[in-house]
Amino acid sequence: MASSSWPAVVESDLPHGWVVTSSGRVSGVHEAGDLFKEAPFTDTERLLMDNTLTDATRSTKVRFTVYIGDLGANSGAGAEALFPSLPEPERTVLIAVSPNDQAVEVRSGREVADRVNDRVCQLGVTAALSSIRKGELIDGLVSAVRVMAAAIGRPA
């Protein structure tokens, strides 16, 4: 599942060394030897995401995994290629976000596919997109995980 209705990035708003490519992807450089000045997420955001994933996994017995990064030109194929490398892929749901490509992909393992069906995946993507469009990636992912966990429910 993918979305392409995120706000456009204006190149003049980007930091030095960053550009918008012809495909619309944002690309940047990091000078070798320079330390990163700040982490991409705050400690609070990382803790919120970790607690949300832990709670969802415990309540549903489905392993929730979030991936944020480049999925390649075909985000669906990128998510498919990533999926087998996850811990316990047969009972995992993956929410993969490729921010520069404005794509959200959800995949589920075969042991949980009956509980994590297309409807549940669409609910998660829908829950995420509102916050993601506002630039609030972690809030969007937290919403997606919580909505999906509620829809999946406890195992029988």
Side-chain angles (χ1 to χ4, degrees):
M1 296 176 205
S3 171
S4 60
S5 55
W6 291 358
V9 176
V10 178
E11 193 164 331
S12 62
D13 293 339
L14 296 173
H16 175 72
W18 291 76
V19 298
V20 178
T21 65
S22 61
S23 68
R25 187 175 66 83
V26 176
S27 180
V29 298
H30 175 76
E31 297 292 330
D34 284 352
L35 296 176
F36 285 102
K37 294 179 181 42
E38 61 185 61
F41 304 109
T42 67
D43 290 344
T44 302
E45 289 173 322
R46 288 192 301 268
L47 186 58
L48 175 61
M49 189 79 258
D50 185 56
N51 287 339
T52 301
L53 291 168
T54 300
D55 292 346
T57 297
R58 285 181 179 158
S59 69
T60 63
K61 304 300 183 224
V62 172
R63 181 185 287 265
F64 279 81
T65 302
V66 168
Y67 173 85
I68 303 169
D70 185 27
L71 293 169
N74 179 336
S75 60
E80 289 291 331
L82 175 65
F83 196 79
S85 68
L86 301 175
E88 300 181 285
E90 62 281 349
R91 63 176 215 87
T92 293
V93 59
L94 167 67
I95 303 170
V97 179
S98 186
N100 291 338
D101 298 318
Q102 303 176 358
V104 178
E105 299 286 341
V106 181
R107 298 293 183 272
S108 62
R110 68 180 166 273
E111 286 183 21
V112 297
D114 58 327
R115 297 173 61 213
V116 188
N117 55 34
D118 286 344
R119 183 186 69 80
V120 171
C121 293
Q122 185 60 51
L123 285 171
V125 170
T126 301
L129 286 179
S130 176
S131 293
I132 290 173
R133 287 180 182 138
K134 295 177 195 172
E136 299 166 1
L137 182 59
I138 297 298
D139 287 345
L141 290 169
V142 165
S143 294
V145 171
R146 288 178 176 165
V147 166
M148 291 177 72
I152 293 167
R154 297 190 181 277

